[in-house]
Amino acid sequence: MSHSTGSPELDALIASGLNRTLIEKPYLCTTETCPQEMQTIDYVPSLGGNAFFLALYALILILQIAAGIKWRTWSFTGCMFGGPVLEIIGYAARIQIHYNPFTSDPFLMYIVTITIAPCFFAAAIYLSLSRVILTYGSHLARFKPRTYTIIFICCDIFSLVLQAVGGGIADTAETESMSDIGINIMIAGLVFQVVSLTCFAGLCADFFWSVRKNGGVSRATLQARLPNSVGRFYMFIGSLSIATLCIYIRSIFRVAELQEGFNGHLANDEVTFMILEGAMVAIASIALTLPHPGMVFGQNWKIAKARAAASGEKVPGNEISMEGSSEVPK
C-alpha cells in the first residue's frame, strides 16, 4: 500500500528530503514525528471500543466451544469457531493500529480478517435453516432441506474464497494498481454475499409462506418433534432472522466502503465502522449464541439421530418424532 496520498504537505516533505528515513520506514513513525497523511487510516482506533469487541468475541468463542462439546453440534460449532477467531485477530490488529497508526501490516490484517469473518456466521445460519425446515416438515419446502444447505454453503465458500484471494492480493501488492485489483476482488466477494443473502431471505420467506398457506403446524405437533420447549424454537427462528438482517446490512456497508477505496470517507470514519460493522456483526454473533441450537434441537442436531427422528423412530434422550419429514442435510 502506498504511503503517499497526494497531499501537498506530504509531497513537500518527500521532495525536501525532510524525515526521509521515516518516510521510507513509516513503521518508525509516531504521531509526534510524522504527519497524519502518512497514517494507514485517518484516525487512531479507539482502544476501549476495539478492546470491547475483542473481549466479546473471546467470550462468544468460549461459549460456542462449551456448547458445541455439550450438544455435539460440530458443524455449527465449526462455523462459530472460525468467525470469532477471525474477529479476534481483526480487533487485535486494530488495537495495534491504535498504538502505531503508521504500520501497514496490522491495517491489512484487520481489513482481511474482519471482512471474511461473517462468511462463517452466514454458514451457521444456512446450516440452521435446514433443521428448521425439518422440524416444520420438509414437505412444506420448495426444495429438500439438504439442497438449501448445499446451495448456500457453496455460495458462502465462493464468497469467502473471493474475499480471501482479494485480501491476499491487496496485502502483498507492491503497486497501487495491484492493490486496487485485490480490493475489487474483495468487493466482488462481498457483492456475491449480498446477492446470496438476498436469495436466502427470499427462499426463507417462501418457506414460511408455504407453512402459513398450508394451515401452519400446530404447537402440539412442533412440541412432539422437539426435545425442548416450542418457545425456544420460535426464539431461535427470531435469532436467525436478526442475524441474517445484521449480516446483510453489514455486507452492504462493506461493499460501499471498499468501493471508495482505503482512502475513502467510509474507510476512515470510525463511528460508522463501529456501528455498521462492529455492532452489526456483534449482534449477529450474539443472536447465534443465545439461544444455541443445542438448546433447541438437543441431540437432534446430529445427522444420524435426526434421520432416525425423521423416520419416526425414538431418539434416545430426546424421545421425539418428526413424522412428515424425510430429508435432512449432511
Side-chain angles (χ1 to χ4, degrees):
M1 177 179 177
S2 173
H3 294 286
S4 175
T5 63
S7 164
E9 294 83 1
L10 183 53
D11 290 343
L13 285 174
I14 295 173
S16 68
L18 183 64
N19 292 325
R20 182 169 295 277
T21 300
L22 295 178
I23 292 171
E24 293 175 350
K25 300 178 180 179
Y27 56 85
L28 298 175
C29 285
T30 68
T31 53
E32 288 76 27
T33 60
C34 294
Q36 184 182 23
E37 288 87 345
M38 291 182 64
Q39 294 181 185
T40 53
I41 47 180
D42 292 344
Y43 63 87
V44 176
S46 162
L47 178 60
N50 289 285
F52 168 78
F53 283 120
L54 189 153
L56 174 64
Y57 286 112
L59 176 61
I60 288 172
L61 180 61
I62 293 170
L63 292 174
Q64 286 289 345
I65 291 173
I69 293 172
K70 179 178 180 179
W71 285 296
R72 300 181 181 277
T73 53
W74 303 128
S75 56
F76 185 89
T77 302
C79 297
M80 294 304 296
F81 177 85
V85 166
L86 288 171
E87 294 287 353
I88 289 169
I89 294 172
Y91 284 103
R94 283 180 61 83
I95 290 174
Q96 283 185 272
I97 298 172
H98 169 83
Y99 289 108
N100 188 348
F102 298 95
T103 56
S104 60
D105 287 348
F107 170 75
L108 292 169
M109 184 187 298
Y110 116 72
I111 284 290
V112 173
T113 56
I114 289 182
T115 298
I116 67 177
C119 289
F120 290 88
F121 298 131
I125 294 171
Y126 300 150
L127 287 170
S128 299
L129 174 65
S130 59
R131 271 69 178 187
V132 171
I133 291 174
L134 182 62
T135 303
Y136 274 109
S138 59
H139 63 288
L140 297 171
R142 191 171 296 275
F143 307 108
K144 297 177 180 179
R146 184 181 180 187
T147 302
Y148 288 94
T149 301
I150 291 174
I151 290 174
F152 288 108
I153 290 294
C154 287
C155 288
D156 202 48
I157 291 173
F158 183 67
S159 173
L160 175 62
V161 169
L162 283 179
Q163 293 176 54
V165 169
I169 293 174
D171 190 3
T172 58
E174 296 182 357
T175 64
E176 187 172 348
S177 61
M178 283 301 296
S179 179
D180 288 341
I181 290 173
I183 292 172
N184 288 334
I185 294 174
M186 291 175 72
I187 291 172
L190 284 164
V191 169
F192 190 80
Q193 186 177 53
V194 170
V195 173
S196 298
L197 285 168
T198 301
C199 294
F200 175 76
L203 286 172
C204 286
D206 174 72
F207 170 72
F208 284 107
W209 172 252
S210 175
V211 172
R212 181 175 180 179
K213 185 173 64 175
N214 285 275
V217 178
S218 71
R219 192 180 185 92
T221 300
L222 290 176
Q223 187 62 74
R225 297 173 180 176
L226 292 166
N228 296 302
S229 71
V230 176
R232 288 186 185 181
F233 178 65
Y234 289 147
M235 187 182 300
F236 183 67
I237 292 175
S239 294
L240 291 180
S241 301
I242 292 171
T244 302
L245 178 61
C246 287
I247 293 176
Y248 189 80
I249 292 171
R250 171 265 175 195
S251 297
I252 292 175
F253 160 68
R254 293 311 298 271
V255 169
E257 179 196 41
L258 289 177
Q259 195 115 33
E260 293 181 354
F262 293 151
N263 295 319
H265 170 71
L266 290 176
N268 292 281
D269 185 342
E270 185 173 32
V271 174
T272 303
F273 173 85
M274 285 296 194
I275 294 173
L276 295 180
E277 169 67 43
M280 289 297 102
V281 180
I283 292 171
S285 60
I286 292 171
L288 292 170
T289 304
L290 303 173
H292 188 273
M295 298 171 60
V296 179
F297 301 102
Q299 293 296 317
N300 234 36
W301 180 271
K302 295 175 66 177
I303 299 307
K305 291 191 176 182
R307 280 180 171 157
S311 66
E313 298 176 16
K314 295 285 186 176
V315 179
N318 279 1
E319 299 299 315
I320 67 174
S321 173
M322 286 190 176
E323 61 274 6
S325 300
S326 59
E327 296 290 339
V328 65
K330 292 184 178 180

